[in-house]
């Protein structure tokens, strides 16, 4: 069976500016708030990416932060599958 | 600042055989119980890896499963840093 890899992670935030400051300052991540129309999902580039935001380095992934709504199981790891 | 990427994930299990069956069967992951001396940590190869278990594909990571002990915040995403 073809492997379906983990390609992304997600964590919640309560304050978009604060979470962006923290991860960019401590880990050097590129934090990009996608704006109101995208629910202020914050893209987190943890790895070297090309101009299309695709990761260039094997064994590394990017992720994202979403606005916290209610208690849930997080962080999430996101698995890429061929189909559902 | 150099980016410190996310390179690994971890989740707990209560039954090593069951978790191995599930993720290998559903997602095709290579699940490798490292044995009693390693606390039965189960390595999860979600991506194409070379003979040293290093991931070959950009934008994908491997992970591992540890024996569940008590309630904690999980899953974890693991960040590679130059030093602490």
């Amino acid at each position: 069976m073809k492997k379906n890899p983990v390609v992304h992670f997600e964590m919640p935030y309560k304050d978009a500016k604060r979470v962006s400051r923290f991860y960019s300052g401590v880990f050097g991540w590129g934090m990009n708030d996608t704006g109101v129309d995208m629910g202020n999902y914050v893209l987190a580039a943890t790895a070297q990416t090309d101009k299309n935001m695709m990761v260039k380095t094997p064994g590394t992934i990017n992720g994202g932060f979403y606005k916290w709504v209610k208690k849930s199981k997080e962080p999430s790891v996101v698995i890429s599958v061929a189909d559902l």
Side-chain angles (χ1 to χ4, degrees), chain A residues 21-71:
Chain A
R21 259 200 319 271
F22 178 81
Y23 286 98
S24 61
V26 175
F27 297 114
W29 294 0
M31 302 291 284
N32 181 30
D33 191 323
T34 56
V36 176
D37 292 348
M38 300 291 284
N40 288 108
Y41 190 86
V42 179
L43 289 169
T46 87
Q48 296 302 320
T49 52
D50 66 19
K51 62 178 169 17
N52 298 318
M53 285 293 288
M54 299 302 288
V55 175
K56 289 161 61 175
T57 312
T60 63
I61 57 171
N62 288 333
F65 293 81
Y66 54 90
K67 193 164 174 53
W68 188 91
V69 179
K70 58 180 173 53
K71 186 166 173 51

Side-chain angles (χ1 to χ4, degrees), chain A residues 1-36:
Chain A
M1 180 182 178
K2 192 174 183 302
K3 285 191 170 69
N4 297 278
V6 171
V7 295
H8 191 83
F9 69 89
E10 293 194 323
M11 291 190 268
Y13 68 78
K14 290 188 178 174
D15 180 328
K17 286 201 172 63
R18 186 161 173 247
V19 79
S20 294
R21 259 200 319 271
F22 178 81
Y23 286 98
S24 61
V26 175
F27 297 114
W29 294 0
M31 302 291 284
N32 181 30
D33 191 323
T34 56
V36 176

